[in-house]
Amino acid sequence: MAVYLFAAIDVGSLDLAMTIYQISDKGSIKTIDQLKQSVAAGHDTYRSGRISYAHINEMCRILTHFSEVMKSYNITSYKAYGTSALREAENREIVLDQLKVRTGIEVNILGNAEQRFLCYKAVAIKETEFEDIIKKGTAIADVGSGSTQLSLFDKDALVTTQYMKIGSVRVQDTLSPIGSELHEMRDLIEELVDAEMQTFKKLYLKDRKIENLILTGMSAQYLGKQANGVRKDRLTAEEFNEIYEQVVRLNSYELSKAMDVSIEHANLMLPSVLIYKKILDITGAQMMWLPGVSLSDGIVAEYAIDNKLIRFHHDFNEDILYSAKNIAKRYKSNQKHAQSLEKLALEIFDSMKKYHGLGKRERLLLRIAALLQDCGKFVSMSNPADSAYYIIMSTEIIGLSRSEQKLVANLVRYYPQDFNYDVLMDEVYEKRNVIAKLEAILKVAGGLDRSHRQKISNSNIRCTIKNNQLIMTTDAEVDITLEQNLLTSRADFFEEVYGIRPVLKRKRGVNSGS
């Protein structure tokens, strides 16, 4: 049995943590060492917008120690990620450069959607429990230092995921000018939290029954701790409310002793528990699952999946696609046309593998763009392309990085209009060739359903490449004159990108139906 060592480093808002894992090719993941040191960089970011040089020095010192520990284990594979404190810092590029130059460790910043998706994967590692729980109405409540993410499941499908800028450290820093201890400002914290939660309830919880809550985040790891040291991974609503009453009654010192946590973490328990309490109230859930996972668990899960060391029955790409479908539905997109466009685009993409050199990830992004290309009409019928671009750029699509979100937004923006290399180069310069290749495919696929009547589908079309032509042969027994004539302008751009001319033909012996 082959065994691999991997280090996951979480550059968080309050702590720097490194977890060393042992991964076997049999699919098991085991924690063999954990290190954590406090650095409250999040306070700098949330108060002033910049991380101080004192905290940069402290981060470098800790990461240098982490590097030495990795060397002692002979670890060569690692991932280091920064979250909201780094993501929102105005001087993040300077911080990242200093960390790399002074410690040799390259830290990448996770977008919010990526960060939450990793935590989601960490929960899904506990596969049997996870799959069983989400078959019923379920919400994942991930309360972090700077934000909260609520994800809703229905019959094991991800219905929606929404980001709210309320987190334990951010609440603490928002109220710090008042000067009182947090436990004395319970009503003020509730006001801050309640405004966001009531909006979420109105928009996303109509007629939706939530039976289970899955709680993740730093404070969730302490909620199930018992006096005898044993940790519970299930809490009823009544049991949670008992913990809630204890947290709001005690000051930070008393809470630190009662829950065996540091004063710093005890200070954050009150805002975290108040957020969880509001989520419990608006959902009406009766059972809370505490999987006890961290971001590091998600980092190792992603590494193991990407390197084919473990397999999940759960398809995470389907969650991303389902999230995109729900965005399209929210903005009243033509779902039949979007699904037809998606399937036709994939038919062309798969037939062009030798020519575009793109992989599974780009194929997924093409599908998302096809699903969302129509959403801008909800805002403007006269300028849907730009409207769709801004909708996508301002909407969380779980599992996509910020650069992938920009790629999809640009695909949608240039789908109905001429491709503009110059504008594109300013925004996503390094991805312009990928965008051009996918755009060419999307435009041709759109030409095949120009009437929005699904005359041509992936089941009645066959794509072959011959003599520098992409010959698309259909046996559709309807009039396709419109599709054939309007394909010409889209074919020009396709030929410009690939040097191959798309041609739509009817199969011999098939009547036109006109």
Side-chain angles (χ1 to χ4, degrees):
M1 180 178 71
V3 174
Y4 308 87
L5 290 180
F6 174 80
I9 300 174
D10 175 8
V11 182
S13 301
L14 275 182
D15 304 300
L16 267 67
M18 181 174 74
T19 307
I20 296 173
Y21 297 91
Q22 179 179 284
I23 312 169
S24 76
D25 57 4
K26 298 292 185 182
S28 69
I29 300 176
K30 180 181 178 183
T31 300
I32 61 173
D33 201 356
Q34 288 181 305
L35 298 88
K36 181 184 284 190
Q37 292 194 39
S38 295
V39 179
H43 289 300
D44 286 348
T45 299
Y46 306 143
R47 288 173 182 168
S48 68
R50 293 169 178 261
I51 296 176
S52 67
Y53 216 88
H55 278 141
I56 294 174
N57 283 332
E58 188 64 10
M59 292 163 76
C60 288
R61 183 190 65 78
I62 295 169
L63 286 179
T64 299
H65 175 58
F66 287 177
S67 178
E68 291 168 353
V69 173
M70 282 195 287
K71 288 175 184 176
S72 71
Y73 279 100
N74 294 318
I75 291 173
T76 56
S77 298
Y78 78 92
K79 289 286 184 182
Y81 288 123
T83 53
S84 61
L86 271 173
R87 184 167 63 238
E88 298 179 24
E90 296 171 7
N91 62 335
R92 59 186 171 275
E93 297 301 330
I94 293 172
V95 178
L96 293 175
D97 178 70
Q98 287 292 295
L99 298 182
K100 177 69 183 296
V101 170
R102 294 169 59 180
T103 73
I105 292 177
E106 183 172 1
V107 178
N108 294 299
I109 295 178
L110 286 173
N112 179 69
E114 293 176 286
Q115 177 185 341
R116 307 306 180 171
F117 203 51
L118 285 178
C119 291
Y120 170 39
K121 286 182 177 180
V123 174
I125 285 179
K126 301 173 181 290
E127 192 165 5
T128 303
E129 293 173 286
F130 176 71
E131 294 292 346
D132 288 343
I133 286 175
I134 64 173
K135 286 176 183 175
K136 299 179 180 179
T138 299
I140 297 181
D142 185 8
V143 178
S145 299
S147 62
T148 293
Q149 191 88 9
L150 262 174
S151 304
L152 302 182
F153 288 84
D154 186 20
K155 296 178 182 177
D156 76 9
L158 181 64
V159 177
T160 189
T161 181
Q162 295 298 319
Y163 164 76
M164 290 167 278
K165 239 178 180 179
I166 48 169
S168 54
V169 176
R170 196 185 298 275
V171 168
Q172 186 184 54
D173 288 343
T174 300
L175 297 177
S176 62
I178 296 175
S180 301
E181 280 206 32
L182 277 180
H183 79 283
E184 297 172 353
M185 295 187 286
R186 171 179 168 181
D187 291 342
L188 295 180
I189 298 173
E190 285 185 339
E191 285 182 32
L192 273 177
V193 173
D194 198 50
E196 296 283 354
M197 291 301 167
Q198 291 304 321
T199 301
F200 180 87
K201 181 180 180 179
K202 290 176 184 176
L203 292 176
Y204 302 105
L205 289 178
K206 290 181 180 179
D207 304 318
R208 189 174 299 284
K209 185 178 181 181
I210 302 297
E211 296 185 27
N212 303 305
L213 282 179
I214 301 175
L215 305 187
T216 60
M218 179 179 60
S219 295
Q221 299 185 42
Y222 303 122
L223 289 180
K225 188 181 290 186
Q226 304 295 294
N228 58 7
V230 177
R231 186 180 177 281
K232 291 186 69 172
D233 64 359
R234 295 283 198 284
L235 292 175
T236 64
E238 290 75 16
E239 287 173 326
F240 173 82
N241 283 328
E242 289 176 7
I243 295 172
Y244 165 78
E245 291 298 334
Q246 178 190 35
V247 170
V248 298
R249 186 178 68 250
L250 302 178
N251 62 35
S252 297
Y253 176 74
E254 293 167 336
L255 194 59
S256 172
K257 291 187 67 176
M259 303 196 80
D260 191 25
V261 297
S262 68
I263 289 290
E264 181 70 24
H265 286 104
N267 277 328
L268 300 178
M269 283 297 294
L270 177 59
S272 296
V273 169
L274 277 169
I275 295 170
Y276 289 130
K277 169 66 172 170
K278 285 296 179 183
I279 294 170
L280 178 66
D281 289 344
I282 66 170
T283 60
Q286 293 302 306
M287 181 61 68
M288 310 177 94
W289 181 34
L290 311 172
V293 298
S294 64
L295 177 62
S296 295
D297 296 325
I299 296 171
V300 70
E302 181 180 68
Y303 173 81
I305 293 168
D306 291 347
N307 289 276
K308 297 180 171 58
L309 300 175
I310 61 173
R311 289 184 179 180
F312 283 115
H313 294 301
H314 191 82
D315 189 337
F316 294 104
N317 283 344
E318 284 301 314
D319 290 319
I320 299 173
L321 288 167
Y322 207 88
S323 179
K325 288 175 184 176
N326 275 289
I327 294 168
K329 185 177 179 181
R330 190 189 316 158
Y331 290 100
K332 312 298 183 184
S333 294
N334 184 331
Q335 294 183 56
K336 288 185 178 179
H337 171 62
Q339 290 167 9
S340 175
L341 179 60
E342 176 194 4
K343 291 174 181 177
L344 290 167
L346 292 182
E347 192 73 23
I348 298 169
F349 182 94
D350 292 342
S351 71
M352 293 285 296
K353 284 181 180 177
K354 293 181 180 179
Y355 300 89
H356 57 57
L358 303 176
K360 292 181 180 178
R361 192 65 179 181
E362 289 80 13
R363 190 177 189 270
L364 175 66
L365 298 177
L366 176 64
R367 296 180 70 183
I368 295 170
L371 293 168
L372 295 177
Q373 48 75 36
D374 208 24
C375 66
K377 291 179 181 177
F378 182 85
V379 177
S380 171
M381 291 290 290
S382 61
N383 189 18
D386 284 344
S387 297
Y389 172 87
Y390 291 114
I391 286 172
I392 294 168
M393 288 300 292
S394 59
T395 304
E396 290 282 343
I397 304 176
I398 194 166
L400 296 193
S401 67
R402 188 63 176 168
S403 64
E404 289 174 331
Q405 195 171 355
K406 286 181 180 179
L407 189 152
V408 170
N410 276 282
L411 279 175
V412 170
R413 172 183 253 175
Y414 293 107
Y415 169 65
Q417 57 186 330
D418 290 340
F419 196 73
N420 190 324
Y421 288 98
D422 293 333
V423 173
L424 196 64
M425 286 170 66
D426 292 336
E427 188 165 333
V428 278
Y429 177 82
E430 73 284 358
K431 292 290 184 181
R432 66 195 186 281
N433 289 335
V434 173
I435 296 173
K437 289 176 181 180
L438 294 178
E439 190 70 80
I441 292 171
L442 195 63
K443 285 179 180 293
V444 169
L448 298 178
D449 192 31
R450 185 63 185 86
S451 67
H452 288 204
R453 294 182 179 181
Q454 293 79 58
K455 299 177 188 177
I456 300 169
S457 69
N458 65 320
S459 63
N460 66 18
I461 194 169
R462 181 170 175 265
C463 298
T464 56
I465 298 171
K466 187 176 181 180
N467 298 327
N468 292 328
Q469 288 187 324
L470 171 64
I471 301 171
M472 300 175 290
T473 308
T474 180
D475 59 5
E477 295 182 353
V478 290
D479 185 359
I480 59 170
T481 304
L482 178 66
E483 283 71 21
Q484 286 177 314
N485 289 336
L486 292 181
L487 185 63
T488 302
S489 60
R490 295 168 182 250
D492 290 343
F493 181 62
F494 192 95
E495 188 173 19
E496 176 186 324
V497 173
Y498 290 107
I500 295 171
R501 186 80 181 174
V503 178
L504 177 61
K505 293 184 177 181
R506 188 186 299 281
K507 189 176 181 181
R508 289 180 182 178
V510 176
N511 294 323
S512 69
S514 59

